[in-house]
Each structure stands twice: as structure tokens, then as C-alpha cells.
Amino acid sequence: MEKNTQKPTLKTKKYISSIFIIIVALFVGISIRIGYLQFVRGYELSTKAAAQQTKDKVISSKRGIIYDRNKNILALSASVDTVTCTPSEIKKEKLDEICRELSLILEMDEKDLREKLTQNSSYVIIKQKITPEQSEKIRNLHYNGIYLTEDAKRYYPYGSFASHIIGFVGTDNQGLNGVEMVYDKYLKGVPGRVITAKDSTGSDMPYQYEKYINAENGLNVVLTIDETIQHYAEKHLEDAIKQYDVRNGAVCIIMDAKTGEILAMATKPDYDLNSPFTLNDPKMIELVNSLTGEERNKALSDARNKMWRNKAVVDTYEPGSTYKTFVAAAALEENVVKVDDQFDCNGYMKVANYRISCHKTSGHGHLTFAQGVKSSCNPVFMQIGANLGKTKFMRYHRLFGFTDTTGFDLPGEAEGVFYTTNSFNTTELATSSFGQGFQVTPLQMIAAMTAITNDGIIVKPRIVKELIDDNGTVVRAFEKEEVRRAISKDTAKTVRELLETVVSEGTAKNAYIKGYRVAGKTGTSEKFPRNMGLYVASFLGFAPANDPEIIGLVMLDEPAGAHMGGQIAAPTFQKIFDDTLRYLNIDPQYTESEENEIEITIPNVVEKNVKEAEEILASMQLKCKTVGLNNSEDVVILKQIPTGGTVVPAGSTVMLYTSESADEAVMIPSVVGKSISEANSILANAGLNMKISGKSSTETDNNSYIGAQNPPAGEIAAPGTVVTVDILNSDVH
């Protein structure tokens, strides 16, 4: 049989080719589409698939606690609920009812609620951090698709206490200021999740299709702050603001002189951490409320930022004479002056074309360098500044840390402002020698003082002691950090001795504390623009002078009336340090004159007979006056004023009462502004006892006067009541 050898026609070939091209084109198209879906839209589509097939709920982690150094709680998170919904689970016929009920409970607009309840999403937050009462009402409604998720709300037990240190969090529990912000990554922890499979109708699948990822709690932060010392600083700073009419805020820092740990850092005015966005300055509230639109928004933002500013860290000021501490140290270190070098002060000094005055315009006359430090003489410091020269002066300014930040833990630390090499001329050198013409921060000042208290080595200030977990295990400890050596050990010792005389004999007498060797320097600087009557008063000191334990700085910005550091900052420092030194159980070191001044602890003679009580008091160098029957050995004392345990000067009078109805009343007179002898006479004539606070009466002189009294004038008290008086010295700067 003959084989068919007929070849395919051209038409057939074209047909086959067309089929092949179509198949290749389809294959290429499908490949491109698959590639596009796989690589370009793969993440998007897989996410959508997961959203359709699963429901993902976030479980908030517990934010860590913030403690003081003694583990007192300063910030913690309380459990609250957040309302969420899964729109696909909400029955349409119930939508109107749900909107109505939830709007009433949550105080939300129905329209906003409806938008949330109808979103194309598997997880929608309706409202965060609702009250327990709101949670209970929603729980009782039993609506499908509406859920209560456990959340946490930050709570600050002491309100405004240490507000500029602690900071606060936003609605999402993220730290927005202070330690809350800087240590947010440690405090916030890691949120958990519940992932639940859904069926085709959007309903939850059985339990076996659920995956639970545990939340990890945040670490707890232990601060170096001591709650008690912080309270002392805040209380006395508030009192100073009221007493001296301080109009632009105030600062107090207390630091461990050896380790750099901040024991207290108070900035006033402060704000309520539980309501950090609420303004507390009536003037600013009035200003903001008078504006509208963008002007109001900007004014509100500016007012809040000012309220949140930590003046101790962020703001700069001219240090005034407190800076003489470091000029003296530099001059002694460079051997351009000795303690007994001689100087003359006629009340001013001519520098270039300027006549620069001393605070004592009549002049200090002939004096040694040590006396120049004690009397805070500007011409003496201008001369030693000139002897140092511009290059060395600037080098020590840098060495003491005034041109850099300290690296402190709180946000926004300023660097300070000083002259450039080209702008630092003879006149600038002269004024800088007594602390004017440049800017520093309070934190830089107290950090620099560690060179004096720590044998020449600057220690970095820090506010966090350690991070611990919920079991109390230390995860990370922050140790003492030495920055650099600024001066020698011998120079530091000499400066400490000089600064002690400033308090015991010089311009800082109002910082004196009986039994404690306080050292330090006052400062008064006039703000720009000059001649406007705006001042900064400050005091920088430490104690005990021979072995410093704590350093303190008080800065009062724009006091009205009295404005010298020695007049207002030193006595404020004295009150804070008096409380703090006793609280820390630092042993007093009495001078011979202090030891000779006897104070008596009054014994309790209640229920003893009159004769026995009088004999006991007389044997202890105390006077007494008996009110009521006193002619029988059978008559006993029913009440005494002052009560047993009260400490009073020898020779004080104790009132003894033998009858409950024998009470007398005395209106306490005012002795503020009086001399000590005048005050003692006035109070004695009123039947009251006087006690001098902090200062020894043997340390007072003709320049001493009563600065404050407690109880205040006008109060009614029983005879024998002790009136405690604060002694101030008018010969200060």
C-alpha cells in the first residue's frame, strides 16, 4: 500500500502556529499574573486573607512601676477596660439600639459610634480606658461583637509630686515626658495577642483554633530620689515662692556628694501628673481662653510646654557669685593666688573703659584672698581672673563642665552659653570672674561642685538607680561614673575650707545650721535686659564641710522685693538642709560655743504632785508657773505646756495646770523683723518661750534679726507655748 506523503498545507501550519502562540501567550500571562500576585501584592493579599480568616486582639502589657530609692511607689498602672468591636459579628437589626445605648454609657456621639461599628475591619477600638462603672454597664448588655479588653491606666499616687522628674504617658501608654519618656522602652513591656480563627460567616471557630501570645510586663524603674527629701525640697521651695513673691519659678536640687545620685529635684510651679494637659496658671488659662482658632492652639501648646519644662535641667541662668567657687579653685590650682595674698577694694575696679562696681560700693578696704572669698568681693575676683588669663579661664570653664551637657537622664538638657575665643576679651573676663555675662544650668552647677566635694573629680549626676523585674531581681544597675579630674585634691580641700568660712562668718550666714558644718556660696545676678529690676537669687553649698555628704542648690527666679541670694536663697537652703541632714542621721559636729549653749528636753511631770514637779523642773534649769491649786502635796499636775519631750533653751518657763478649767489663752505677738533681744523680751512678757531654729544664739550679732516665726502672729495659744524663730543676718550678699 502506498504511503501518504502529503505535507501540511500552509493554512494548517498557520493554524498550528496560532494555537501555539496563544498557548504561550496564555502561559506567559498567567505566569506574569501569578508573579504579580505572589511578589507585588503577596503581603497585601496574605494580610487580607488572614484578616478574613482570623481575628487578632491585642493584650496590653503591664507598664512597669516607678519607685523612689526606698521602693515607695511613685507611678503605677491600674487595670481598666477598653471597649472594642468586631463589626461583622454585630447584628444589623441591633445596630441602632447598640449605638444608642453605648453613646449614653460612653458619652460619645452616635454618628461617630456608627462609623466605628460599621467599619470593614475585624478589630476596632471604640473607647480606651473607661471607668469601672462604664465597664459594668456594657458587660450587662451582652451584645454580640462588643468586647471589653483589659487595659491599663497610668496612676500617680502623689499627683504633682516630682512631676518634672517622673513625667507622664499618653492615651496609648507611651511615655511623653521625664523618666516615663526616657525609659519608655524598659517600662512599656511587650503587648500580647489573641489570634482566633473565623468561619465563613465571620464567627469565632472553636477554642482549638485560638492562639494566645502572652504579654510581657515592663521593667520597674528605681529612682535615686528619696521621697522624704523630695518632700522637704518641694515644701520649702513653695514657702519661698510665697514669702519672697518669686514670679518666674524656682529650683532645688539635692545630690549625694560622693556618688552623684540625685536625692531630690524640685521645680516649681509644677503640674498634676494625673491631669498633665490641664493648665494650672490662672493667667495662662485666661490668655488661652481669650483666643480662638490657631492662635488659641498655639498659645495652649506653648503654655503646656512651659508648664512641663524642668528648669533644673532645661533652663539656663547667670550664676552670679556662686561661680566664684570655681574661679577660686582655678586660681589656686594654677598657683596665681594664695590664701593669704593681699588685695585692696575701694568699691570698684576700672576695666578697659568701664567702671565695674563691687556689691559693697564703699569698698572692703585692705583684705586677703581668703577674706575676699568670705566677703564675696568683686574686685578681688576680677584681679585673680586677670591673673589667670583668658586661655586658662576658658580651659577651667570647660573642665568644670559648663560648656557641655552632663549626659543626665532627663530630656532637653541645655549646654550652657559662653563666649567664643574671639569675643572673650578683657571686660568679659572681668565680669565672668564674678559670674555674670554667660549662662549655665542648675544641673551643671551642682555637677561642677562635685569636683570640690569629691577631692577634685567630677561625678556624673544620675537619677535612676536600677531596673528590676516583678520579682525584685536587679536587671540592670547604674553605678557611680567619674567624669574627669578638674583640680587637685589639695585645691579641693582648700576651697572647702574657704567656703565654710563664707557660711560661718561671711555673706552666707543665713545658711548656717547649728551642729552642722555647712559650706557654700551665695549668688545674685541681674537678668537681661539690665536695669529692669529682674534678678536670680541662688545658693550652692554642701555639708558637712570637712567630709561632704550632700550638695544642694536653691535658685529663685525673679523675686519681688528682697532679691539677694544671701537674703532669700540661703535661708531657703538652710531649711531644706536642716531637715535633710537630720533625716539622713548625719552626726552633728558642735563647735565649742554651740556645746556651751544648753538646750533642755522638758520632762513629763503630769500626775506628779506640785512640789515634786517644781523640784524636777528646777533641777533641770527650767522655770515653772503653777496655775490652780498649789498648796497641797495631794494636788497633782493635770497638764503642762510645753509638753514633755519638747526641746527648749535652758531657763524656759513650763506652765503647770492643776485644774482643767484653769486654762489661759495668749494671742501670739509678732516678732518678725525684731532683734533677738527684742523678740525674747516681747515673747517673755506674753508668757511665751522662744527657741532659735537652726542657729545658735552665740553665733548671732548686731546684724541678726527675726526672719520668721512659728506659730505665726495672731494665733491663740496657751501660756508657755514655744515660739520658734528663724534668725537672719542683714550683712549678706
Side-chain angles (χ1 to χ4, degrees):
M1 189 178 180
E2 192 177 341
K3 218 180 209 183
N4 186 4
T5 58
Q6 187 178 358
K7 294 182 180 179
T9 64
L10 181 60
K11 183 178 179 180
T12 303
K13 289 181 180 180
K14 288 182 178 180
Y15 177 76
I16 294 171
S17 297
S18 298
I19 296 296
F20 178 76
I21 291 169
I22 290 170
I23 292 171
V24 170
L26 287 171
F27 178 78
V28 171
I30 291 170
S31 298
I32 292 171
R33 181 63 176 170
I34 291 172
Y36 172 74
L37 295 175
Q38 179 84 24
F39 299 108
V40 178
R41 297 190 61 198
Y43 178 77
E44 174 193 347
L45 294 173
S46 62
T47 302
K48 285 184 176 181
Q52 289 174 351
Q53 298 163 21
T54 62
K55 182 169 68 179
D56 190 353
K57 293 182 181 178
V58 176
I59 302 172
S60 297
S61 58
K62 183 182 177 184
R63 192 172 179 85
I65 297 171
I66 298 178
Y67 295 101
D68 86 330
R69 66 187 300 111
N70 299 313
K71 304 295 172 56
N72 296 307
I73 295 176
L74 304 180
L76 74 162
S77 295
S79 293
V80 292
D81 287 326
T82 288
V83 189
T84 66
C85 73
T86 302
S88 61
E89 296 179 4
I90 295 173
K91 296 178 179 179
K92 291 183 179 180
E93 64 271 18
K94 285 276 190 179
L95 184 60
D96 290 341
E97 179 187 336
I98 294 172
C99 287
R100 184 174 62 254
E101 292 290 341
L102 290 185
S103 68
L104 292 173
I105 296 171
L106 299 176
E107 299 175 351
M108 291 178 65
D109 183 74
E110 279 194 47
K111 182 181 177 182
D112 294 337
L113 262 173
R114 186 177 293 274
E115 287 180 1
K116 289 178 179 290
L117 296 175
T118 56
Q119 280 186 28
N120 184 22
S121 175
S122 62
Y123 180 75
V124 178
I125 294 174
I126 297 175
K127 190 170 185 178
Q128 293 179 298
K129 298 175 176 52
I130 64 174
T131 66
E133 293 76 17
Q134 290 172 320
S135 294
E136 185 64 24
K137 289 178 181 178
I138 292 173
R139 195 173 285 112
N140 292 333
L141 293 175
H142 303 293
Y143 286 136
N144 288 337
I146 304 297
Y147 299 96
L148 292 173
T149 304
E150 187 177 347
D151 201 347
K153 182 178 181 180
R154 205 60 166 164
Y155 176 64
Y156 304 93
Y158 299 110
S160 62
F161 177 80
S163 57
H164 291 93
I165 298 170
I166 299 169
F168 56 91
V169 299
T171 55
D172 57 355
N173 274 331
Q174 181 178 1
L176 298 180
N177 205 354
V179 169
E180 291 275 33
M181 182 177 81
V182 176
Y183 285 82
D184 185 65
K185 66 180 180 180
Y186 300 108
L187 287 163
K188 67 183 179 182
V190 180
R193 297 166 69 191
V194 176
I195 303 172
T196 306
K198 296 193 298 185
D199 61 20
S200 59
T201 65
S203 301
D204 289 351
M205 296 284 282
Y207 177 76
Q208 62 264 35
Y209 296 101
E210 182 175 89
K211 183 178 182 181
Y212 190 92
I213 302 172
N214 289 321
E216 295 179 20
N217 291 342
L219 292 174
N220 306 307
V221 175
V222 181
L223 302 180
T224 61
I225 295 296
D226 187 298
E227 179 194 345
T228 301
I229 299 175
Q230 180 75 19
H231 274 300
Y232 291 151
E234 293 192 8
K235 175 189 180 299
H236 292 302
L237 212 56
E238 284 182 352
D239 291 345
I241 288 173
K242 294 175 184 176
Q243 184 176 352
Y244 306 120
D245 192 14
V246 180
R247 300 178 180 182
N248 197 37
V251 166
C252 175
I253 308 175
I254 307 294
M255 174 195 277
D256 186 306
K258 293 179 170 62
T259 67
E261 292 183 343
I262 300 294
L263 303 177
M265 178 180 282
T267 292
K268 294 290 179 177
D270 50 27
Y271 61 95
D272 186 354
L273 291 172
N274 292 308
S275 185
F277 295 94
T278 302
L279 299 182
N280 54 16
D281 183 345
K283 292 182 179 178
M284 293 308 301
I285 294 171
E286 184 179 356
L287 172 64
V288 170
N289 290 338
S290 68
L291 302 172
T292 58
E294 285 302 315
E295 282 188 340
R296 185 184 188 280
N297 292 338
K298 185 179 185 305
L300 179 60
S301 176
D302 291 345
R304 284 172 174 167
N305 287 326
K306 182 179 179 182
M307 182 175 70
W308 297 333
R309 285 176 70 88
N310 186 348
K311 285 178 72 70
V313 178
V314 176
D315 286 7
T316 60
Y317 72 108
E318 291 188 14
S321 293
T322 54
Y323 186 77
K324 291 175 180 174
T325 299
F326 309 107
V327 178
L332 289 165
E333 182 72 11
E334 289 297 319
N335 204 30
V336 301
V337 70
K338 291 184 173 58
V339 171
D340 55 358
D341 281 356
Q342 304 293 311
F343 295 85
D344 286 293
C345 169
N346 60 4
Y348 67 92
M349 181 173 168
K350 286 188 175 181
V351 179
N353 296 321
Y354 298 94
R355 174 174 165 149
I356 304 175
S357 298
C358 183
H359 69 89
K360 187 175 182 180
T361 54
S362 61
H364 290 100
H366 190 70
L367 71 173
T368 64
F369 174 64
Q371 292 170 328
V373 174
K374 186 167 61 177
S375 59
S376 195
C377 178
N378 287 350
V380 168
F381 276 87
M382 284 189 277
Q383 290 177 63
I384 66 168
N387 292 342
L388 261 177
K390 293 185 288 185
T391 301
K392 289 180 179 178
F393 192 103
M394 294 187 78
R395 181 163 69 87
Y396 278 95
H397 188 78
R398 287 192 297 271
L399 270 177
F400 280 113
F402 293 118
T403 57
D404 300 309
T405 62
T406 66
F408 195 56
D409 288 334
L410 296 184
E413 184 184 359
E415 292 183 350
V417 181
F418 199 69
Y419 302 98
T420 64
T421 303
N422 293 334
S423 64
F424 192 51
N425 300 313
T426 305
T427 304
E428 288 74 25
L429 174 61
T431 56
S432 295
S433 297
F434 54 86
Q436 297 239 15
F438 61 91
Q439 303 271 318
V440 298
T441 68
L443 187 64
Q444 284 177 323
M445 287 297 287
I446 203 165
M449 185 60 96
T450 60
I452 309 301
T453 62
N454 207 45
D455 289 336
I457 298 174
I458 294 175
V459 179
K460 179 181 176 179
R462 55 196 170 92
I463 201 141
V464 174
K465 190 175 183 67
E466 58 195 13
L467 304 177
I468 61 175
D469 63 20
D470 288 339
N471 297 318
T473 304
V474 176
V475 176
R476 180 180 176 185
F478 297 86
E479 304 295 338
K480 172 182 175 180
E481 186 177 334
E482 294 183 349
V483 179
R484 62 181 163 272
R485 177 171 289 281
I487 52 175
S488 67
K489 182 177 180 180
D490 289 342
T491 296
K493 181 175 182 294
T494 301
V495 175
R496 290 198 297 268
E497 292 169 350
L498 290 172
L499 293 180
E500 185 177 8
T501 67
V502 177
V503 175
S504 60
E505 305 170 29
T507 59
K509 290 178 183 176
N510 289 336
Y512 176 88
I513 303 172
K514 182 180 178 181
Y516 293 98
R517 296 175 61 178
V518 179
K521 190 76 190 69
T522 60
T524 307
S525 58
E526 188 175 12
K527 297 179 71 172
F528 280 105
R530 308 294 195 197
N531 302 316
M532 294 294 290
L534 302 177
Y535 296 89
V536 174
S538 60
F539 183 86
L540 176 64
F542 53 88
N546 58 320
D547 184 18
E549 295 281 350
I550 53 173
I551 307 171
L553 170 70
V554 169
M555 188 268 277
L556 307 176
D557 195 351
E558 295 185 17
H563 62 268
M564 289 187 177
Q567 291 176 308
I568 61 177
T572 304
F573 171 96
Q574 189 266 352
K575 292 181 178 69
I576 296 168
F577 254 50
D578 193 8
D579 286 341
T580 301
L581 290 165
R582 297 179 197 283
Y583 165 73
L584 292 174
N585 292 319
I586 295 175
D587 293 331
Q589 304 171 60
Y590 293 105
T591 63
E592 186 177 347
S593 61
E594 289 169 344
E595 288 176 344
N596 291 333
E597 186 175 73
I598 301 173
E599 285 191 336
I600 308 295
T601 301
I602 296 176
N604 182 15
V605 295
V606 173
E607 296 186 355
K608 297 186 181 298
N609 66 48
V610 173
K611 183 178 179 182
E612 185 181 4
E614 290 177 344
E615 288 176 351
I616 291 172
L617 294 173
S619 70
M620 300 185 71
Q621 302 181 52
L622 293 168
K623 302 174 185 177
C624 66
K625 180 181 178 182
T626 305
V627 179
L629 297 173
N630 63 357
N631 57 358
S632 170
E633 290 188 3
D634 295 329
V635 177
V636 297
I637 307 301
L638 299 180
K639 186 171 70 172
Q640 70 178 76
I641 298 175
T643 58
T646 304
V647 178
V648 296
S652 295
T653 300
V654 181
M655 301 296 295
L656 305 176
Y657 296 91
T658 61
S659 171
E660 292 289 357
S661 62
D663 281 5
E664 299 177 24
V666 176
M667 179 178 286
I668 296 177
S670 174
V671 294
V672 173
K674 305 292 184 182
S675 68
I676 296 171
S677 60
E678 286 176 326
N680 196 31
S681 176
I682 292 169
L683 293 173
N685 289 337
L688 301 167
N689 293 302
M690 185 177 86
K691 180 183 177 183
I692 297 173
S693 172
K695 200 165 291 188
S696 168
S697 61
T698 58
E699 298 289 341
T700 60
D701 53 33
N702 293 332
N703 294 311
S704 297
Y705 65 96
I706 308 300
Q709 67 179 77
N710 186 39
E715 281 197 8
I716 303 299
T721 296
V722 176
V723 178
T724 303
V725 297
D726 293 338
I727 305 298
L728 296 182
N729 193 285
S730 59
D731 184 23
V732 296
H733 173 61

